[in-house]
Amino acid sequence: MTGSRVVALGHYQPERVLTNDELATMVETNDEWIQSRVGIRERRIAAPDEQVDEMAWRAADKAIANAGLDKTEIDYVIVATCTAQDRSPNMAARVAARLGLGNPAAIDLNTACSGFAHALATADHAIRAGAASKALVIGVEKLSDFTDWTDRTTCVLIGDGAGAAVVVASEEPEIGPVVWGSVPEMSDAVRIEAPTNTFAQAGQSVFRWTTTQLPVIAREVCEKSGVAPEDLGGVVLHQANLRIIEPLAKKLGAVNAVVAKDVVESGNTSAASIPIALSKLIEKREIPSGAPVLLFGFGGGLSYAGQVIRCP
């Protein structure tokens, strides 16, 4: 085998819907203010007893079922999250146990909002190297546990949920080369730090960086994959802000692509945002099977990662 491919996705979101109007009863804000600045209309919030590994397990179970695989065939589980409730065991081990897998390698990865793209690349590399044959890649977050609900600049952004992908060995590579990196001088731009352990960010700095630098890096991702932006069938960026997503797709020149805008109904779910958005587009059959799709995550660190995949 010379590469890998994504064969199926699945996602899970909590039942509770928190609208902008409801948020306006909790903090000084309103629907117009939120939508005009970040494009979010509502988000899903996990129940107090609904933990990260449970949401990850639900998304993963759906992805495996969609792939038509026996669970025991999974030999690698990687969970991207920055909101794990425990230090040990890790979330990947908990998910493997919940799913009843055999003896997979099980690791967690934390690059916050770029986590899924990093994890997907890591799974691809492991399969190419012969260290795995069928991988389960999960992005999951429960940001509501790390949110200051009195801070209107951050609490309006976040949401909870999980998305998962099944990646298998392939004779033809359908996951393109990753372009990843970080901006060390902006390492504190997005953070959840002790002792408060609440989500905070330098919003304007992140916005300026994404709107000026991301189009350049996204074009590099396309070039390395040998795909012209106008040939993309889909663009799935980290769902942070509609004011970032729409201009970037336009600057990139992805004129024929379906652009994921799940941020409107899910908010910012960090590492879960890309797989949730992609899973929904596939579920609705909005992107044809085999079409090239740009995935690109950016966030805490300040880290970024992106690749072009073929839609399952």
Side-chain angles (χ1 to χ4, degrees), residues 159-224:
D160 299 331
V166 175
V167 182
V168 304
S170 172
E171 292 183 2
E172 294 294 330
E174 295 189 9
I175 298 177
V178 66
V179 175
W180 52 12
S182 63
V183 186
E185 63 268 26
M186 294 182 67
S187 61
D188 289 335
V190 184
R191 58 198 182 277
I192 299 175
E193 293 179 322
T196 60
N197 286 322
T198 54
F199 165 58
Q201 67 172 356
Q204 288 303 313
S205 296
V206 173
F207 183 82
R208 283 193 297 271
W209 184 86
T210 55
T211 52
T212 58
Q213 300 303 311
L214 277 193
V216 177
I217 304 171
R219 277 193 289 270
E220 183 184 351
V221 175
C222 292
E223 288 170 6
K224 286 200 170 185

Side-chain angles (χ1 to χ4, degrees), residues 18-278:
L18 179 60
T19 65
N20 290 344
D21 288 337
E22 186 177 351
L23 263 178
T25 68
M26 301 162 55
V27 69
E28 186 181 351
T29 190
N30 59 67
D31 177 67
E32 181 183 3
W33 187 89
I34 297 170
Q35 291 209 48
S36 66
R37 283 160 178 78
V38 293
I40 299 170
R41 186 175 63 240
E42 61 187 36
R43 70 286 293 148
R44 299 294 186 96
I45 302 297
D49 61 348
E50 196 169 22
Q51 297 299 336
V52 170
D53 60 310
E54 179 183 352
M55 293 191 290
W57 157 64
R58 291 183 183 278
D61 192 53
K62 186 175 179 180
I64 294 171
N66 289 339
L69 292 179
D70 187 301
K71 293 178 181 178
T72 59
E73 296 181 67
I74 303 294
D75 55 9
Y76 187 30
V77 181
I78 180 166
V79 174
T81 187
C82 65
T83 55
Q85 68 266 30
D86 300 315
R87 293 186 180 274
S88 182
N90 64 13
M91 292 299 97
R94 288 195 182 278
V95 171
R98 278 182 175 267
L99 287 169
L101 304 185
N103 58 341
I107 67 170
D108 285 4
L109 182 153
N110 178 6
T111 57
C113 306
S114 66
F116 181 79
H118 273 90
L120 185 62
T122 302
D124 173 53
H125 297 166
I127 290 173
R128 286 173 181 264
S133 62
K134 295 180 176 64
L136 183 59
V137 181
I138 306 167
V140 57
E141 303 289 10
K142 190 182 179 185
L143 283 167
S144 59
D145 275 354
F146 299 87
T147 299
D148 179 355
W149 291 98
T150 67
D151 178 8
R152 74 168 187 167
T153 64
T154 56
C155 74
V156 303
L157 302 174
I158 66 95
D160 299 331
V166 175
V167 182
V168 304
S170 172
E171 292 183 2
E172 294 294 330
E174 295 189 9
I175 298 177
V178 66
V179 175
W180 52 12
S182 63
V183 186
E185 63 268 26
M186 294 182 67
S187 61
D188 289 335
V190 184
R191 58 198 182 277
I192 299 175
E193 293 179 322
T196 60
N197 286 322
T198 54
F199 165 58
Q201 67 172 356
Q204 288 303 313
S205 296
V206 173
F207 183 82
R208 283 193 297 271
W209 184 86
T210 55
T211 52
T212 58
Q213 300 303 311
L214 277 193
V216 177
I217 304 171
R219 277 193 289 270
E220 183 184 351
V221 175
C222 292
E223 288 170 6
K224 286 200 170 185
S225 295
V227 176
E230 60 268 23
D231 293 331
L232 289 169
V235 172
V236 185
L237 309 175
H238 165 48
Q239 302 291 293
N241 186 330
L242 201 59
R243 291 175 59 204
I244 293 174
I245 294 167
E246 291 180 324
L248 194 152
K250 186 176 180 179
K251 288 180 181 178
L252 180 61
V255 292
N256 299 309
V258 174
V259 179
K261 300 177 183 179
D262 186 54
V263 66
V264 175
E265 62 182 39
S266 297
N268 180 345
T269 56
S270 188
S273 76
I274 289 176
I276 289 175
L278 181 57

